[in-house]
Amino acid sequence: MKILVCITSVPDTTAKISFTQDNTQFNKTGVQFIIGPYDDYALARAVELKEQHGGSLTVLNVGTSDSDPQIRKALAIGADDAIRIDTEPTDSYFVAAQIAEIAQKNSYDLILMGRESIDFNSGVVHGLVGEMLGIPSYSPVMKLEITDGKAEFAREIDGGKEFLEADLPLVLGCQEPIAEWKIPNMRGIMTARSKPLNVVPATPMDDLTVLKKYTLPAPKGECKMIAAEDAEQLIALLRTEAKVL
Amino acid sequence: MPQYFDRRNLDFLLYEVHDAPELTKYLYFEAHDRETFDLVLDSVTQIADTLMHPHYRDVDRNPPELKDGKVTVHPQIKPFLKAVGEGGLIGAGFPFGKGGQQLPEMVGACVDFIQMAANNGMMYTGLTSGAANLIATFGSPALVDAYVAKMLGGQWQGTMALTEPQAGSSLSDITTTAEPQPDGSYRITGQKVFISAGDLDAVDNVVHLMLVRIKGAPKGTKGISLFVVPKFRLEEDGSFVDNDVTSTGIYHKLGQRGTPAMHLTMGDRGDCHGWLLGEANRGLSYMFQMMNEARIAVGITGAAIASAAYCASLEYARERPQSRRLNEKNQLDSPQTMIINHPDVKRMLLFQKAIVEGSLSLLLESARLSDLAHVSKGEEKENYTLLLELLTPVAKTFPTEMGVRSVNEGLQVLGGYGFTEDFPLEQMYRDIRITTIYEGTTGIQSQDLLGRKMTIQGGKAPRLLFAEIDKTITEANTHETLQPYAKMLGEEIQRLQKVTSTLLPFAQQGDYERFLMDATLYMELFGLVTVAWQWLKQGIVAQNALSDNSPGESNTDFYEGKIQTMKYYFHYEVPKTLGLAKRLQDPEVLTIVKEREVKM
């Protein structure tokens, strides 16, 4: 089985976010980057499936060389090789088109990724890739088994879960608890250095999105302490200041 | 999740100050690069975040129990040992040919630091690694095959079994005995106390590296041999049998309660077997390989606990409003200010930062020397080794003694809450206390520094150290802003040399009691100066970054914080050498027992 796992390189969840150049550029200085947490679940399940069924596991990232540490981590966790499409990931359509271009050439049985990245959180790349390749896509997938060339999986839906079965190939956007995040071991870390990381140029495309500016959410207001017995004041403040009543 | 160490600071010390990637130019370390170091630190942080730190309190509140001869430890210990064993972290520093990945000591020190900052109560792996290293270095191929892989895999625990009820610091008085047997093994009888991780149900076997006297061996340290004494021994048919090592007692400790400290009895049934490691009667010198590593590891533990305490008290000081600033104390209608804005609280926080980051820098300096000694040859190797030997007692003592004071200040920042179980400071205060005691108390380390390390090869080690410090002073003098601190450090070296030359004649006259009477104060002086050197090193790197680059807002804050802490250390801590030097040169003798004893 040939598995492709698409990973994003995103700011650590605890990183302080700021912008430069009149709020048009994300300030990367001092920011720690990590594999997208949902992508990390996808990768962990892919490693398990490869252990169960054999085959190959490739990780793919659309990004600049800044993403290489995250790609090396994915190789240390258990991917066999990696492809980096050497470009800034400008928007979801662009990223999906780049992934589809590679997938088209290599005929993967299973394409896994996170249900969404945690920087822009658009959550549409898996659907777009499926559409571009003409194969089914599902998200968010929280359980996945492969049996006799078929995928059996559970997807979260409003108010419950949906249990599905589909033929391969297909694209899945993953989330917990599909697998537990894997921690690279020393042997994996050392072998990651010799695993191939193929850097390929991006397929030229028109920009469909123009970024105008970023804004940060308003800072949290000061906490107001209200006496426990003073429910009237609480209601008044919820009406007049918080405006939630 | 609450923070317990500062990764930015760790990266600064490892890469910017001590240049760990430089080691990868040596053949031995060439399989590594900064990326592998980062991945190792990331992996350890993930283990620490998920398997260690969340259980810090719980491991303390549910300490090991000895019941019906069996020791039950906290259920979290087993998955932790499995994770670090399978992750290859226990033996990461071992050579490729012995099941390791040749990870430099410098990175290994950071691994230990992260783990101990997360949960110092789970101090199992360093013991196993040290014990396995002794077997790998001095053991026969049969012993290596039988033990090392299982230990590095986290399935078997290792210990260092030295202390006996009548022989703590005085190892020359041990009485545990070995009698040769026809099958090549030895029959062991005796008792050992304070054996950390001496028995536990989270592993399949416990392997004691035990100091024992072979029957008829010379008295004193020259008659001590090193033995492998397992809890379960492997028979020729592949079965495991109980090796007659009995857990007779478990100590109820002030801190570090996650790891059992055992009283063990060997040979109650006359059936305890041990296997000699290396040559007979050379055990203590072999054990000192593990002991020196363990001393650095204890220093790391001290710095790590102080780091966790600093992070906790800093977080509290940033969030706790109390009173108005001293210049605004009558403005009662204005909101209370956060306590970090009070000068005395700020001082306590700066003290902690100075101790934690100064100690860690000294520990990484020592680890770097260990790595360089490993890969170099001839005179270069000898010099690195001498410097490491000189700094080892200091790197054990400064982070632990000053760490205790640092955690004390951390607790003080929290006021009354620091004294309660609602915050982790009280536990850290208990946990760190042991670090000035084990692997040689502060008194023993101080006698080692002054009585041995300062004088070996005619004082070559301190000459090498002062030459290194001179290089730092010269470099600091290229920055106008650092020149006052370079000058201060130069004066401190002179003061230290003067004190040393006042004390050395006592040794030359054979009056060792007078020579070593205040060795602990000498250690304090030596430590203050050595860490001032480390702070000047950090100041140079920070100043270079601020002068040459555009570090960005967060990095500018970081580097300016370094400069401020360096200044704090020089203006608040370094002046303490004056009082110490005065006492050390004072001719009045008050602590040496005389014929007519003054009543206490």
Side-chain angles (χ1 to χ4, degrees):
Chain A
M1 184 165 59
K2 281 179 78 174
I3 307 174
L4 179 71
V5 176
C6 306
I7 61 167
T8 52
S9 170
V10 294
D12 192 355
T13 47
T14 58
K16 284 183 184 167
I17 303 299
S18 64
F19 304 106
T20 57
Q21 298 184 24
D22 201 20
N23 287 331
T24 59
Q25 291 289 321
F26 170 54
N27 182 11
K28 292 182 179 177
T29 312
V31 173
Q32 181 91 12
F33 281 78
I34 58 172
I35 297 175
Y38 296 116
D39 305 329
D40 227 349
Y41 287 120
L43 177 63
R45 187 61 190 136
V47 170
E48 291 168 358
L49 289 172
K50 192 199 140 191
E51 280 169 7
Q52 287 168 17
H53 300 281
S56 67
L57 168 53
T58 300
V59 287
L60 183 151
N61 168 259
V62 181
T64 65
S65 58
D66 289 349
S67 305
D68 285 353
Q70 286 70 54
I71 296 171
R72 286 283 173 210
K73 183 178 178 186
L75 291 168
I77 284 173
D80 299 307
D81 60 356
I83 300 167
R84 178 166 62 76
I85 302 171
D86 191 20
T87 181
E88 284 285 353
T90 49
D91 64 32
S92 301
Y93 188 87
F94 176 80
V95 170
Q98 301 300 330
I99 294 170
E101 185 73 20
I102 295 290
Q104 201 95 54
K105 289 177 191 161
N106 293 290
S107 306
Y108 297 102
D109 299 303
L110 194 56
I111 300 175
L112 302 182
M113 61 188 76
R115 73 172 200 195
E116 64 190 67
S117 63
I118 62 155
D119 46 8
F120 291 92
N121 302 80
S122 58
V124 295
V125 171
H126 35 74
L128 289 170
V129 171
E131 186 63 26
M132 288 168 183
L133 294 174
I135 60 176
S137 71
Y138 298 90
S139 181
V141 173
M142 37 203 310
K143 189 173 185 303
L144 170 64
E145 297 293 342
I146 303 292
T147 313
D148 300 329
K150 282 183 187 296
E152 293 171 9
F153 52 97
R155 192 166 78 105
E156 190 174 31
I157 55 171
D158 279 350
K161 286 181 198 168
E162 185 179 42
F163 295 89
L164 298 160
E165 187 181 288
D167 290 328
L168 303 181
L170 78 167
V171 184
L172 301 176
C174 305
Q175 69 170 34
E176 74 280 13
I178 192 165
E180 280 187 25
W181 286 335
K182 296 205 179 301
I183 301 173
N185 61 32
M186 278 303 302
R187 193 178 297 276
I189 289 169
M190 299 306 289
T191 54
R193 285 191 81 200
S194 53
K195 289 180 178 175
L197 194 177
N198 303 307
V199 180
V200 298
T203 303
M205 276 182 61
D206 292 335
D207 283 336
L208 301 180
T209 309
V210 177
L211 179 88
K212 295 183 84 172
K213 69 169 182 176
Y214 295 105
T215 56
L216 286 171
K220 277 184 188 169
E222 275 188 30
C223 181
K224 265 192 184 162
M225 306 302 286
I226 300 163
E229 62 274 11
D230 197 351
E232 280 184 14
Q233 191 194 356
L234 174 65
I235 290 165
L237 286 172
L238 289 172
R239 277 210 176 106
T240 56
E241 287 195 15
K243 295 183 178 166
V244 293
L245 291 180
Chain B
M1 173 181 291
Q3 209 185 358
Y4 47 89
F5 80 104
D6 179 358
R7 177 63 186 267
R8 177 69 185 88
N9 178 59
L10 201 64
D11 287 346
F12 170 78
L13 292 174
L14 187 62
Y15 299 128
E16 296 176 66
V17 177
H18 295 294
D19 196 9
E22 175 78 10
L23 291 172
T24 63
K25 291 180 181 165
Y26 292 91
L27 186 66
Y28 187 79
F29 295 122
E30 71 171 3
H32 291 275
D33 57 15
R34 175 163 177 169
E35 221 163 58
T36 61
F37 298 161
D38 280 340
L39 277 170
V40 170
L41 298 182
D42 290 346
S43 294
V44 171
T45 305
Q46 208 171 336
I47 288 172
D49 280 349
T50 54
L51 296 174
M52 299 182 79
H53 191 253
H55 308 283
Y56 179 57
R57 182 188 160 100
D58 199 40
V59 162
D60 176 76
R61 303 305 192 272
N62 297 284
E65 281 183 12
L66 171 63
K67 202 173 175 185
D68 301 329
K70 287 187 177 175
V71 177
T72 310
V73 294
H74 191 280
Q76 189 56 32
I77 305 300
K78 191 165 188 167
F80 161 67
L81 290 175
K82 187 170 185 286
V84 289
E86 288 177 355
L89 287 167
I90 298 174
F94 279 48
F96 289 131
K98 291 181 178 174
Q101 301 295 341
Q102 297 187 182
L103 189 71
E105 283 280 323
M106 283 178 81
V107 184
C110 295
V111 167
D112 291 348
F113 178 78
I114 293 169
Q115 290 187 336
M116 289 298 96
N119 190 341
N120 76 87
M122 295 161 78
M123 51 155 212
Y124 292 88
T125 54
L127 290 162
T128 302
S129 168
N133 196 14
L134 281 179
I135 298 174
T137 308
F138 302 111
S140 64
L143 280 177
V144 173
D145 287 349
Y147 290 94
V148 174
K150 295 273 190 190
M151 293 171 79
L152 298 189
Q155 296 139 288
W156 292 4
Q157 175 66 42
T159 80
M160 50 196 297
L162 284 69
T163 309
E164 296 179 7
Q166 79 295 343
S169 296
S170 179
L171 287 172
S172 56
D173 292 316
I174 65 165
T175 57
T176 297
T177 309
E179 231 177 305
Q181 301 299 303
D183 66 356
S185 72
Y186 288 73
R187 194 68 52 88
I188 310 288
T189 49
Q191 292 183 55
K192 292 286 176 183
V193 295
F194 297 138
I195 308 307
S196 294
D199 197 4
L200 64 156
D201 63 345
V203 289
D204 300 330
N205 202 357
V206 182
V207 183
H208 305 287
L209 273 287
M210 193 174 286
L211 289 183
V212 178
R213 193 176 294 285
I214 297 173
K215 214 168 185 184
K219 285 186 175 174
T221 54
K222 288 179 182 167
I224 296 175
S225 301
L226 184 58
F227 282 82
V228 177
V229 183
K231 179 180 175 183
F232 296 106
R233 67 175 184 259
L234 186 62
E235 295 290 270
E236 278 182 7
D237 63 1
S239 63
F240 276 95
V241 297
D242 186 326
N243 193 35
D244 194 14
V245 179
T246 310
S247 291
T248 9
I250 191 165
Y251 292 93
H252 301 283
K253 300 186 287 179
L254 178 70
Q256 293 207 324
R257 290 177 174 170
T259 308
M262 300 307 303
H263 184 149
L264 303 174
T265 306
M266 282 69 66
D268 273 354
R269 303 192 309 270
D271 192 29
C272 177
H273 294 244
W275 285 265
L276 181 66
L277 207 54
E279 293 175 32
N281 299 331
R282 295 197 58 199
L284 199 58
S285 64
Y286 297 155
M287 184 53 98
F288 260 92
Q289 175 188 298
M290 184 173 177
M291 191 97 93
N292 281 327
E293 290 166 11
R295 286 176 171 173
I296 300 283
V298 173
I300 290 169
T301 303
I305 299 171
S307 162
Y310 168 58
C311 291
S313 63
L314 179 62
E315 185 185 357
Y316 184 86
R318 282 176 171 153
E319 292 174 355
R320 167 74 169 165
Q322 198 69 189
S323 306
R324 281 93 199 153
R325 295 183 68 165
L326 292 171
N327 288 341
E328 301 164 356
K329 61 181 181 182
N330 294 325
Q331 297 172 19
L332 295 177
D333 290 335
S334 62
Q336 297 190 93
T337 189
M338 298 302 165
I339 62 170
I340 194 171
N341 296 323
H342 296 307
D344 191 51
V345 175
K346 192 80 159 186
R347 178 193 58 75
M348 289 191 279
L349 292 167
L350 272 169
F351 173 76
Q352 292 179 72
K353 184 173 162 70
I355 298 308
V356 171
E357 296 175 8
S359 296
L360 187 55
S361 188
L362 177 62
L363 288 157
L364 291 185
E365 181 83 52
S366 305
R368 191 181 70 91
L369 290 169
S370 173
D371 287 326
L372 290 171
H374 191 90
V375 295
S376 53
K377 287 178 182 163
E379 192 185 350
E380 206 183 3
K381 185 184 186 76
E382 188 191 328
N383 289 349
Y384 287 133
T385 305
L386 269 175
L387 269 171
L388 176 61
E389 285 185 9
L390 175 67
L391 287 182
T392 296
V394 190
K396 194 267 173 180
T397 305
F398 185 92
T400 55
E401 283 289 343
M402 297 302 278
V404 170
R405 297 184 208 178
S406 184
V407 175
N408 184 48
E409 294 284 42
L411 190 151
Q412 189 76 10
V413 167
L414 273 75
Y417 287 111
F419 197 62
T420 69
E421 292 189 350
D422 297 342
F423 289 87
L425 272 298
E426 63 82 25
Q427 187 183 337
M428 293 162 182
Y429 190 65
R430 289 186 284 108
D431 283 347
I432 197 169
R433 191 60 189 83
I434 184 65
T435 59
T436 66
I437 298 170
Y438 57 26
E439 310 316 339
T441 62
T442 296
I444 295 287
Q445 303 300 328
S446 304
Q447 289 180 22
D448 181 41
L449 172 69
L450 180 58
R452 190 165 161 266
K453 303 296 174 58
M454 290 299 288
T455 55
I456 45 174
Q457 294 190 26
K460 188 177 178 187
R463 281 200 301 279
L464 289 168
L465 176 67
F466 297 147
E468 285 297 310
I469 295 177
D470 266 346
K471 286 184 205 164
T472 306
I473 290 173
T474 304
E475 198 180 347
N477 272 323
T478 61
H479 291 281
E480 199 179 335
T481 53
L482 297 178
Q483 283 169 3
Y485 302 98
K487 184 167 176 279
M488 283 166 80
L489 183 56
E491 289 165 358
E492 291 305 325
I493 296 299
Q494 285 175 11
R495 196 187 323 281
L496 181 59
Q497 286 170 332
K498 197 174 167 197
V499 168
T500 309
S501 60
T502 307
L503 295 173
L504 283 174
F506 293 115
Q508 286 154 1
Q509 294 155 19
D511 188 356
Y512 289 99
E513 209 161 47
R514 177 67 185 85
F515 177 47
L516 299 175
M517 156 182 101
D518 287 331
T520 297
L521 303 183
Y522 183 84
M523 169 66 88
E524 195 174 343
L525 171 67
F526 199 99
L528 280 167
V529 176
T530 314
V531 172
W533 167 45
Q534 291 302 311
W535 267 113
L536 192 59
K537 275 190 157 189
Q538 294 185 54
I540 291 168
V541 176
Q543 195 58 59
N544 282 339
L546 289 167
S547 308
D548 301 342
N549 307 318
S550 302
E553 193 183 344
S554 62
N555 274 332
T556 299
D557 286 351
F558 176 81
Y559 292 124
E560 286 178 351
K562 280 287 173 190
I563 298 284
Q564 189 192 14
T565 314
M566 178 203 74
K567 286 181 178 176
Y568 169 86
Y569 189 84
F570 272 91
H571 289 287
Y572 280 72
E573 297 309 308
V574 171
K576 292 173 182 170
T577 58
L578 290 169
L580 290 164
K582 189 176 177 187
R583 170 55 233 158
L584 284 160
Q585 295 174 101
D586 189 334
E588 185 70 46
V589 174
L590 296 170
T591 54
I592 294 178
V593 176
K594 294 176 183 164
E595 278 181 26
R596 186 183 168 279
E597 181 57 72
V598 177
K599 293 278 183 291
M600 296 289 284

